[in-house]
């Protein structure tokens, strides 16, 4: 399965010539608005930086290779009172399971965590303010025990909202993890991919 980070919390997953886009965005500093094509699009919630459906041209495809399930969570630590609900997506194809946490804003309960444990890839918000911060993200990694972690929804230089934190504190909070910085935006994931924190480059960077 090929994963491409478009930027912010948006990823494209590709399997068997089928493309699935998660959380397309508009209006994120340092990034071009999403403008792509796919057979499916899924959103964790309806805020402008996660629900830019106009940025994804949908095509008719055959049977989707992706099995999709969800876990209901919140966008904040007050049961959604501040920012509403958030949907975690679990996607499986090619013997790999990918969990996209969306704008998770709180520590997961055991009931929420159970179906997310031991996934192959965890797409993890780390920037704080609107989501969990790097310290809480590290706790989430320890709770879920994924094989590959791909951080998202953080500030890097001029890219991302100014009130978000960076990704560096996550690596510091997980000193036993192998941190790999990639020059590109994509990662091919198989059942044999090494455990790592994979730092990708946003495809839609201005």
């Amino acid at each position: 399965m090929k994963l491409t980070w478009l930027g912010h919390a948006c990823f494209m997953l590709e399997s068997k010539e089928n493309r699935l886009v998660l959380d397309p965005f508009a209006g994120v500093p340092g990034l071009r608005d999403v403008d792509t094509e796919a057979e499916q699009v899924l959103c964790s919630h309806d805020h402008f930086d996660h629900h830019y459906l106009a940025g994804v041209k949908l095509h008719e495809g055959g049977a989707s290779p992706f099995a999709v399930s969800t876990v209901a969570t919140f966008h904040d630590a007050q049961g959604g009172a501040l920012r509403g609900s958030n949907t975690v997506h679990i996607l499986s194809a090619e013997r790999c399971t990918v969990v996209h946490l969306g704008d998770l804003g709180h520590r997961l309960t055991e009931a929420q965590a159970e179906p997310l444990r031991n996934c192959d890839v965890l797409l993890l918000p780390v920037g704080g303010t609107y989501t969990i911060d790097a310290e809480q993200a590290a706790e989430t990694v320890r709770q879920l025990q994924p094989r590959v972690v791909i951080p998202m929804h953080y500030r890097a230089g001029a890219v991302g909202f100014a009130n978000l934190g960076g990704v560096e504190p996550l690596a510091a909070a997980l000193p036993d993890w192998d941190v790999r910085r990639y020059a590109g935006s994509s990662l091919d994931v198989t059942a044999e991919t090494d455990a790592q924190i994979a730092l990708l480059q946003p495809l839609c960077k201005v």
Side-chain angles (χ1 to χ4, degrees), residues 110-186:
E110 281 302 300
Q112 291 167 332
E114 184 58 31
L116 312 179
R117 283 195 170 95
N118 302 309
C119 60
D120 294 287
V121 182
L122 181 65
L123 306 178
L124 177 71
V126 302
T129 305
Y130 307 111
T131 71
I132 55 176
D133 59 19
E135 180 180 346
Q136 293 169 319
E139 292 177 12
T140 302
V141 170
R142 288 189 285 267
Q143 182 182 29
L144 300 184
Q145 292 295 302
R147 185 156 52 87
V148 177
V149 175
I150 302 180
M152 64 180 187
H153 209 283
Y154 60 87
R155 175 84 170 176
V159 177
F161 294 109
N163 56 355
L164 297 183
V167 72
E168 291 78 10
L170 176 70
L174 295 170
D176 295 333
W177 279 73
D178 179 16
V179 179
R180 301 185 187 180
R181 295 181 180 273
Y182 291 86
S185 305
S186 298

Side-chain angles (χ1 to χ4, degrees), residues 8-27:
H8 201 47
C10 182
F11 286 82
M12 178 180 285
L13 278 57
E14 298 177 73
S15 177
K16 298 180 180 178
E17 300 183 354
N18 189 289
R19 298 156 296 178
L20 186 154
V21 172
L22 293 151
D23 280 20
F25 61 82

